[in-house]
Amino acid sequence: MPDDETQTPTLKSGPATRTAHELRTPQLPGEGEPPAPWLLRLIAVGLVLAALNLRPAITSLGALLEEVREGLHMSGSVAGVLTSVPPLCFAVFGIMAPRLARRFGAGAVVCAGMAAIAAGLLIRPYIGSTAGFLAASALALMGIAVSNILMPVIVKRWFPDRVGTMTGLYSMALALGTALAAAVTVPVTGALGGDWRTGLVVWAVLAVVAVLPWIVLVRDRTPAPGQPAPAPGPAAAPTGAPGLRITRSRTAWGLACFFGLQATAAYITMGWMPQIFRDAGVSAGTAGLLLAVTMAMGVPLAFVIPRVASRLKQQGPIVVVLGLCGLIGYGGLYLAPAAGAWAWALLLGVANCAFPLALTMIGMRARSGAGVVRLSAFAQSTGYLISIPGPLLVGVLYQHSGGWGLPIALMAGLMVPQMVAGILAGRDRTIEDEC
């Protein structure tokens, strides 16, 4: 990582000398007194708990997609629409995140996001119609969307000297939550009576727990990243940020395309991979475990890859390695889906680690907090827009071709432009150099 970031914050005065107002409304790095160590630890816990909730709403549904389709009388095309809802919501609601953070504070927005996830997961299994299920899913995904955008922002704001480490930490937690939902949803559903509704609603509990650490930051009204700070300093108001025209940056567009293509692969995998294995003769429980293995690969790699990437000037070599793993995994899935199922799951799990790499590059391709906010919102929102057609097209191809040959060929073909975009995004430059 560049060395122009602030040093690790240290407490200048003991807890006894801090007023109740200071503890309730903590000060930020570069704005007077540094935050207390207990506050940084609480934010780290909050990041982990929030990250654990950013995918179970999706992967728990993927594990039970066949049961949900039967219960709600969905066709394959409608199920394809359902698997396209996450990137659509992430694109639409993610655009709102920077504005909401400026008005209410990033911590308050994440807290509200966790509450929205909990509410959506609680009500969606019991609405009883496809439209209601989609609407409740959209509520949960709205909370995920704004939190997705603000995770890199919060890391850059509170841990400016540990971007790679903290990105790896919450990326690892995100992968863990994804894998847990894929692995245990089917067995938990069976243990609780076999009703798919119960299997989906249990994940609301985790979201309720995730609300708690963020309550302490609900009243935080310090300037959001990108807004002028009272006392200029290394981490204060960014130079030239208000005039930043991000759409002129080839790096920003490369990162948006890379993010969008990796998101396409991820949501196709989360939404359809269990069904691919089940259609190949694999049991429902094993298919869920295979998806869990794919997601679990992100637990160690999501911690390692950001740390390695932050030490490299160019991240293109990592992009290529991940892309080749994806190509081999899709080739195996096409030729021998059941015989080599565990190997293909592992390889696709490695390929899916393009997500933490993309998040790391968001933090590295901008010099300032304002740049990170703009780049995070642009790359993620544009990227999710790019990813919307993928899961839907897979559902349509599956229904009309009667098999998985064409959908898998599509998945493999998309890995090539993903690698090209990732190499472009991984060049050693920042968006401020191009805008």
Side-chain angles (χ1 to χ4, degrees):
M1 288 295 296
D3 293 325
D4 59 347
E5 296 171 336
T6 57
Q7 297 180 348
T8 305
T10 55
L11 186 64
K12 292 183 180 179
S13 60
T17 65
R18 296 171 64 87
T19 67
H21 176 73
E22 289 172 328
L23 292 175
R24 185 172 62 250
T25 309
Q27 297 207 336
L28 304 182
E31 295 181 35
E33 188 175 348
W38 69 266
L39 179 62
L40 294 179
R41 287 193 291 269
L42 182 65
I43 294 170
V45 171
L47 282 169
V48 169
L49 286 174
L52 285 171
N53 282 277
L54 295 183
R55 294 300 179 268
I58 303 165
T59 50
S60 61
L61 176 59
L64 294 173
L65 184 58
E66 185 171 316
E67 288 75 12
V68 174
R69 285 176 58 191
E70 292 176 355
L72 298 177
H73 309 292
M74 291 183 188
S75 67
S77 297
V78 173
V81 172
L82 183 60
T83 57
S84 294
V85 168
L88 174 61
C89 289
F90 293 168
V92 172
F93 296 121
I95 296 173
M96 301 163 50
R99 181 176 297 179
L100 291 172
R102 286 194 297 270
R103 181 169 183 179
F104 301 106
V109 175
V110 173
C111 185
M114 294 299 108
I117 295 170
L121 294 182
L122 277 170
I123 64 177
R124 77 172 178 177
Y126 301 106
I127 291 182
S129 69
T130 299
F133 191 94
L134 288 170
S137 295
L139 175 62
L141 293 166
M142 177 178 66
I144 296 173
V146 294
S147 301
N148 266 334
I149 298 295
L150 294 178
M151 291 293 102
V153 175
I154 289 171
V155 167
K156 185 80 168 184
R157 176 177 178 177
W158 293 96
F159 306 95
D161 61 327
R162 287 171 279 172
V163 170
T165 299
M166 296 306 297
T167 299
L169 180 63
Y170 82 75
S171 297
M172 184 172 63
L174 188 151
L176 179 61
T178 307
L180 281 174
V184 308
T185 296
V186 171
V188 165
T189 301
L192 296 177
D195 188 348
W196 60 267
R197 295 171 180 82
T198 307
L200 292 181
V201 79
V202 295
W203 295 102
V205 177
L206 184 62
V208 171
V209 174
V211 173
L212 303 179
W214 296 100
I215 293 175
V216 72
L217 293 181
V218 166
R219 296 187 179 182
D220 176 20
R221 292 296 184 272
T222 48
Q227 299 303 302
T239 303
L244 193 64
R245 297 184 178 181
I246 199 165
T247 55
R248 292 185 176 182
S249 168
R250 288 185 295 175
T251 297
W253 279 108
L255 189 50
C257 292
F258 177 67
F259 195 97
L261 290 167
Q262 68 80 28
T264 300
Y267 290 108
I268 290 173
T269 299
M270 288 186 281
W272 288 109
M273 198 173 83
Q275 192 67 50
I276 294 174
F277 286 124
R278 292 176 73 168
D279 287 351
V282 177
S283 69
T286 302
L289 285 175
L290 286 165
L291 178 60
V293 167
T294 299
M295 299 298 108
M297 288 301 297
V299 177
L301 291 179
F303 189 73
V304 172
I305 287 176
R307 292 172 65 87
V308 174
S310 66
R311 286 168 171 77
L312 298 176
K313 288 187 176 181
Q314 300 193 37
Q315 290 72 46
I318 303 177
V319 170
V320 172
V321 170
L322 299 181
L324 291 175
C325 288
L327 285 173
I328 296 170
Y330 287 130
L333 205 58
Y334 180 88
L335 296 171
W342 296 100
W344 317 141
L346 287 170
L347 285 167
L348 292 174
V350 175
N352 274 345
C353 288
F355 176 72
L357 176 61
L359 293 180
T360 305
M361 287 196 288
I362 287 174
M364 296 180 68
R365 296 286 88 89
R367 293 197 194 101
S368 62
V372 173
V373 174
R374 298 284 298 276
L375 183 57
S376 180
F378 176 77
Q380 293 198 51
S381 296
T382 306
Y384 284 126
L385 280 173
I386 292 171
S387 72
I388 290 169
L392 175 59
L393 185 55
V394 165
V396 172
L397 289 175
Y398 171 56
Q399 179 171 336
H400 291 284
S401 69
W404 286 106
L406 285 176
I408 292 174
L410 172 66
M411 299 176 210
L414 291 175
M415 294 305 301
V416 177
Q418 177 179 317
M419 287 190 282
V420 173
I423 292 170
L424 175 64
R427 296 175 303 167
D428 184 20
R429 60 189 63 191
T430 64
I431 57 173
E432 289 87 352
D433 297 330
E434 301 174 336
C435 299

